[in-house]
Amino acid sequence: MAGMQASQLAEWDPPAEELYDDTVPPLFLDMASGPRHPDELLDPPETLLQDPPARSDMLSDRPALEDHLVMHDTRTMHGWLSDETNHVAWRKFREHGRTLLVANANRTPAEQALGCDIIFYNVTRHSLVLVQYKKLDAERGGFYYPNSDRNLAKELVRMRSLDRYAEMQAGLADEQRLDPSPSWIKLCNPRSVLPHTTEMIHGMYFSRRQFESLCDDGRLKDGRGGAVRFGYKNVPAYLDNTLFTRLVETGQIGTTGTSTDLVRQQVLRSFRGQRSLVLATLSGEETPQAARNAQRRQAR
C-alpha cells in the first residue's frame, strides 16, 4: 500500500539487543488479567490501562515449553521472506538472492544422532549450523544449571563428535569461517509471550567450545554450593539473536567445503530415519586412517 518494495524492507535491521541486561522486555499482555472463559482469551479493553493484577496465572508468567520455543524460531527470520517446502520439517527463507533453509530437528532422529534442535543450512554460502536449545529456569531465578540437565552430557558427546567430524574434513582451500564448527547452544528466555511476533526467542548463543569453557569458568560457579549456572547476570559474553543470525546469514560460522557436504549427508540420512555414521566413526578409539577409510565408505 505504501509503494515500498519487499527487498527495501528486508534491508532494515533491528537494533542489537543489549548485552548484560537481565531485565525482560515489557509485554503488552502483562497489562491484561488471565482468561475468564475458554472462549474469552483476554479481559475487555477497558481493563488494559489498569495496573496489572497480582495473579500468578497471567499468560506471560507461564513458562513456555521448549518444543514451542524451537518451533517458533524455525519460522522466524527477521527481514527474510519465508516459504514452505515439500518437507514439513524444513522452511525456506529468501533475501537479496540468498537462500537459507531452516529445519526443526526437535525430537527427530537428527536430534538423537547430531545433538541439535534446529539446523540452519545457508545454501548460498554452503554452510551448516546446528543449534541445541535449552531453557532458562524461571523457577530458579532465570538460570540454567548444566549439572541438573540429565540430557546434556549425551548431547555434548554428539556435538563434540560432529565438530571433530567436520574438523577432519577441513581443507586449506576451504572458505574461512570465524568458527567452522557446526555445533551451537542457545539458552532461551522461558517466557511464553513475545513483545513482537516477528522476533526470535530472546536468548544467549554459545559455540559448543565456548559453552564447555564457561562451564569451567569461576565466574559462573556462583550457585548454591558453588554450582555452575548460566544467566544474564553472570555470563561474561554471548551472542544475541541479531549477532547470531547475521553470522549465519553471511556464512561467517558453520561448516565449509567438504565438511558441509558430508555433514549435510548425515542430516539427510537422519531425517530419513537412517543410521548416522558420525558417532560410529568418531566415538571409538580409532586411528585417523581408520576414520578416513570409514568416511570414504560412507561417501560412496
Side-chain angles (χ1 to χ4, degrees):
M1 293 175 63
M4 301 179 67
Q5 299 295 320
S7 58
Q8 295 173 334
L9 293 174
E11 293 177 356
W12 179 83
D13 287 320
E17 303 164 24
E18 294 184 3
L19 298 179
Y20 313 111
D21 183 4
D22 191 47
T23 61
V24 178
L27 301 178
F28 178 76
L29 288 182
D30 278 349
M31 303 172 65
S33 62
R36 299 179 303 181
H37 187 273
D39 296 329
E40 186 177 3
L41 180 61
L42 299 177
D43 282 342
E46 58 267 19
T47 65
L48 295 180
L49 298 180
Q50 300 174 3
D51 292 334
R55 296 177 56 178
S56 61
D57 60 344
M58 288 191 299
L59 293 178
S60 56
D61 287 335
R62 296 177 181 173
L65 295 176
E66 187 176 298
D67 292 359
H68 293 166
L69 300 178
V70 172
M71 181 180 299
H72 176 83
D73 275 4
T74 59
R75 308 183 71 84
T76 306
M77 188 63 63
H78 201 90
W80 288 58
L81 300 179
S82 175
D83 291 320
E84 301 284 352
T85 69
N86 59 2
H87 194 293
V88 295
W90 290 82
R91 193 168 185 85
K92 181 190 295 184
F93 293 87
R94 296 179 291 106
E95 187 249 7
H96 294 310
R98 296 182 294 177
T99 300
L100 183 69
L101 294 174
V102 180
N104 186 343
N106 186 33
R107 300 184 185 277
T108 68
E111 180 184 15
Q112 299 169 8
L114 305 174
C116 62
D117 288 314
I118 292 184
I119 299 170
F120 296 90
Y121 177 39
N122 189 325
V123 179
T124 308
R125 294 300 306 275
H126 199 53
S127 64
L128 274 161
V129 176
L130 292 78
V131 185
Q132 172 64 234
Y133 273 50
K134 296 295 181 183
K135 189 174 66 172
L136 298 171
D137 194 334
E139 297 181 356
R140 303 179 71 178
F143 287 94
Y144 169 72
Y145 291 78
N147 294 338
S148 299
D149 188 340
R150 293 177 297 177
N151 297 320
L152 179 63
K154 294 182 293 184
E155 291 162 347
L156 285 175
V157 168
R158 296 166 189 155
M159 288 187 279
R160 201 177 299 120
S161 296
L162 181 63
D163 287 349
R164 290 172 55 202
Y165 181 80
E167 184 178 0
M168 291 176 62
Q169 313 306 323
L172 297 177
D174 293 344
E175 283 193 56
Q176 296 298 311
R177 306 272 196 243
L178 294 176
D179 190 334
S181 299
S183 300
W184 287 71
I185 292 175
K186 179 178 183 179
L187 301 184
C188 300
N189 190 302
R191 303 190 74 171
S192 57
V193 178
L194 298 174
H196 304 289
T197 57
T198 57
E199 293 183 356
M200 299 177 73
I201 302 297
H202 289 266
M204 300 178 282
Y205 292 86
F206 309 93
S207 68
R208 191 266 311 165
R209 287 188 178 90
Q210 181 188 10
F211 179 85
E212 292 189 313
S213 176
L214 287 172
C215 285
D216 295 326
D217 193 317
R219 290 171 291 184
L220 274 66
K221 297 179 180 179
D222 57 359
R224 179 174 298 179
V228 175
R229 59 180 185 172
F230 284 71
Y232 286 99
K233 293 180 179 179
N234 64 349
V235 171
Y238 61 88
L239 297 184
D240 61 10
N241 284 332
T242 303
L243 294 174
F244 175 78
T245 54
R246 177 51 60 89
L247 293 176
V248 171
E249 293 167 359
T250 56
Q252 296 301 312
I253 58 175
T255 58
T256 181
T258 304
S259 64
T260 298
D261 295 327
L262 294 178
V263 173
R264 182 170 173 267
Q265 291 178 21
Q266 297 296 316
V267 169
L268 294 177
R269 286 175 60 90
S270 298
F271 271 100
R272 293 171 184 154
Q274 297 173 286
R275 180 174 176 269
S276 176
L277 300 182
V278 173
L279 295 181
T281 302
L282 293 175
S283 61
E285 297 296 329
E286 291 185 302
T287 64
Q289 183 60 45
R292 285 192 290 271
N293 292 337
Q295 291 153 12
R296 292 193 187 100
R297 289 195 297 270
Q298 174 200 351
R300 291 197 294 268

